[in-house]
Amino acid sequence: MRAIVQLTAQQVHEPAGRDPVGSTLEPASARSQDAGSTGTVAQLRAQLERVQGRRLDAPVLPVHPALASLLPGGGLRPGSAYSLPRSTSVLLALLAQPSQSGSWCGVIGMPRLGAEAAEGLGVDLSRLVLIPDPGARWLAVTATVAEVLPVVAVRPAGRAADGEIARLAARLRDRGAVLLVQGHWPQAEAVIELDEPSWEGVGRGHGYLSGREVTLTASSRRWPRSRRARVMLPDAAGHISVAPERMRRVEPLHPAATASPPSEPALAEHFPERMRAVG
């Protein structure tokens, strides 16, 4: 299992001189010590762009095909926020493809997030930064991390003022970062909800759980109606996949199909040339 970078809230606000996201990044220049936090953030952002080989304001970030139909544009739109249920599986499923495609992902305020579960759902742990306890300044920590990382997930520790949320939204647009929020978030690009969970693998009091099937519903201001998708989260292999279609009972096309068969005179009236006595 590859290592995860784990930071504290204090390290997030520290000036340059220490690499916050692992040995992959270059050390900050000594000249940035007098340039303030603005120069530090710009330097870290430039280093990440060199590491990833592309700009952080790239087009829509990819997601798993099972989730693409739930998001406007089929992926995570840079500069946007998404409201998610308090489901670690849904969050990790959304982080999997961006991390695999080379985007660094930060998770804030989720001390119980398991590395094994994250790797099982496809998250590249070498591009995952954890800040388990941001403290009371969780929103400031989120805004700082969004300056550097292209995908940031947070579980809010309290209510945020409207002005602070508006400033964070402006920063997301300016940096082209994606914000995934476990809970309600104003002006979200899409709101995803989880419903109708059902486990598979357990018979009549015996067996082993082999997968969970859930219904994900997404609503967006860009759509006139909500969209739904039935997915396995996880499936028997521990991954996410499209749920198999279930067989449905065939309904009669017309009510008359269940009525008693017509009598011979009635058939002779409609098909006179085909009715004749035999024997």
Side-chain angles (χ1 to χ4, degrees):
M1 181 183 298
R2 287 169 286 185
I4 300 177
V5 179
Q6 184 166 310
L7 303 179
T8 64
Q10 181 179 0
Q11 288 173 317
V12 172
H13 293 289
E14 282 182 351
R18 184 173 183 178
D19 185 357
V21 290
S23 59
T24 308
L25 300 180
E26 301 173 4
S29 172
R31 293 177 299 176
S32 64
Q33 296 178 357
D34 299 329
S37 60
T38 302
T40 301
V41 169
Q43 218 172 29
L44 291 174
R45 187 168 185 267
Q47 291 171 6
L48 274 175
E49 289 175 353
R50 289 198 298 269
V51 170
Q52 298 183 41
R54 63 175 182 82
R55 293 186 56 81
L56 299 182
D57 55 357
V60 177
L61 297 179
V63 296
H64 193 279
L67 305 175
S69 63
L70 298 172
L71 301 173
L76 299 174
R77 190 182 302 276
S80 301
Y82 297 83
S83 178
L84 309 181
R86 284 188 172 246
S87 168
T88 303
S89 298
V90 174
L91 172 63
L92 295 177
L94 288 171
L95 294 179
Q97 290 292 337
S99 66
Q100 291 178 13
S101 63
S103 297
W104 283 80
C105 302
V107 179
I108 303 171
M110 304 181 199
R112 296 185 178 181
L113 188 144
E116 185 176 355
E119 190 173 38
L121 284 172
V123 177
D124 185 350
L125 299 185
S126 66
R127 296 186 180 275
L128 182 63
V129 178
L130 296 182
I131 306 176
D133 186 13
R137 300 185 61 193
W138 64 270
L139 190 61
V141 172
T142 301
T144 302
V145 174
E147 291 271 0
V148 181
L149 303 183
V151 183
V152 181
V154 61
R155 176 176 290 179
R159 183 178 177 83
D162 294 340
E164 295 177 339
I165 293 177
R167 285 191 290 271
L168 177 56
R171 184 168 298 184
L172 293 174
R173 292 191 297 268
D174 180 58
R175 297 303 186 186
V178 173
L179 180 64
L180 304 176
V181 183
Q182 282 195 338
H184 173 73
W185 194 255
Q187 298 182 352
E189 178 76 5
V191 178
I192 300 178
E193 298 175 342
L194 184 148
D195 198 11
E196 301 175 356
S198 62
W199 286 93
E200 295 184 352
V202 178
R204 296 184 177 181
H206 60 86
Y208 296 94
L209 295 175
S210 60
R212 183 182 66 157
E213 185 175 339
V214 299
T215 297
L216 297 179
T217 304
S219 57
S220 174
R221 54 187 174 178
R222 300 180 184 272
W223 299 332
R225 297 181 180 179
S226 300
R227 298 185 180 183
R228 293 164 58 91
R230 194 70 176 167
V231 301
M232 299 298 300
L233 191 62
D235 57 17
H239 306 149
I240 180 175
S241 60
V242 178
E245 295 184 1
R246 306 299 179 184
M247 296 182 63
R248 299 180 179 179
R249 185 171 60 90
V250 178
E251 300 290 343
L253 296 178
H254 303 287
T258 59
S260 58
S263 60
E264 290 186 2
L267 291 174
E269 181 180 353
H270 288 86
F271 307 99
E273 69 283 356
R274 298 185 181 181
M275 297 296 296
R276 64 185 181 89
V278 178

